[in-house]
Amino acid sequence: MADSAETVNVKKTVEAATAQVKATAEKTQAQAEKIQAAGAQAFREAADKSVAGLTELNAEGKKNLEAVVASATAAQKGVEALSAQTVAYGKKSWEDGVAAAQSLAQARSVQEALELQTNWAKSAAETYLAEVTRMTEVLTASVKDSFKPINERVTASVEKFQAAR
């Protein structure tokens, strides 16, 4: 009988140990599943953030390229305006010079020739100074217009970086 009481005790101990191991295994499996789910979720979130970051980086690159194109376009317009202004001034200056030469050729005296030449020189100098002033204004406006798109992108980028901090 002692063997049988001992056998029953061993069976109960084995059954209790088996139940405890089974319960521990189930808890461990549940914890492993939770850890696996949390890891998968963290991976998905990291992947989503990476994709969102790359998308934003791509959009910023596109905006930067558009700013460079706008800047180059503004610079080209400025060069065209200066070129047209220079050609127009050159043509008018040539015409004024020819007219002055014709006037000088028709002068009746040295005094009249000196007066015509002095008036033409004064007029030519004033016209030249006025033209230089206009060209400076066009050049200044062109430079300002050329840098405007790039300045706007730099400002937007700085604001974005400061907001991210």
Side-chain angles (χ1 to χ4, degrees), residues 98-109:
V98 169
Q102 288 174 345
S103 294
L104 283 172
Q106 295 174 0
R108 294 191 180 113
S109 69

Side-chain angles (χ1 to χ4, degrees), residues 63-81:
K63 290 176 184 176
N64 290 343
L65 180 60
E66 289 170 352
V68 169
V69 169
S71 178
T73 301
Q76 181 183 2
K77 287 180 182 176
V79 168
E80 289 172 359

Side-chain angles (χ1 to χ4, degrees), residues 3-117:
D3 277 338
S4 80
E6 207 173 286
T7 305
V8 170
N9 274 342
V10 169
K11 276 186 176 182
K12 284 184 182 178
T13 303
V14 168
E15 286 174 0
T18 302
Q20 188 175 4
V21 167
K22 195 175 190 181
T24 303
E26 288 173 358
K27 285 181 183 177
T28 303
Q29 185 177 357
Q31 287 177 343
E33 288 173 357
K34 285 181 183 177
I35 290 170
Q36 183 182 9
Q41 179 66 26
F43 179 77
R44 275 192 296 273
E45 288 173 1
D48 289 346
K49 285 181 182 179
S50 294
V51 168
L54 289 174
T55 301
E56 186 176 340
L57 185 62
N58 188 23
E60 290 299 313
K62 183 179 177 185
K63 290 176 184 176
N64 290 343
L65 180 60
E66 289 170 352
V68 169
V69 169
S71 178
T73 301
Q76 181 183 2
K77 287 180 182 176
V79 168
E80 289 172 359
L82 280 173
S83 178
Q85 192 171 346
T86 301
V87 167
Y89 172 73
K91 181 180 177 185
K92 184 176 182 331
S93 179
W94 174 258
E95 290 169 353
D96 290 348
V98 169
Q102 288 174 345
S103 294
L104 283 172
Q106 295 174 0
R108 294 191 180 113
S109 69
V110 173
Q111 180 65 29
E112 184 181 355
L114 284 174
E115 287 177 13
L116 289 171
Q117 197 276 334

Side-chain angles (χ1 to χ4, degrees), residues 149-165:
I150 293 173
N151 285 339
E152 289 172 352
R153 288 301 310 141
V154 168
T155 301
S157 295
V158 167
E159 288 173 355
K160 187 170 271 192
F161 286 134
Q162 287 178 344
R165 292 181 4 172

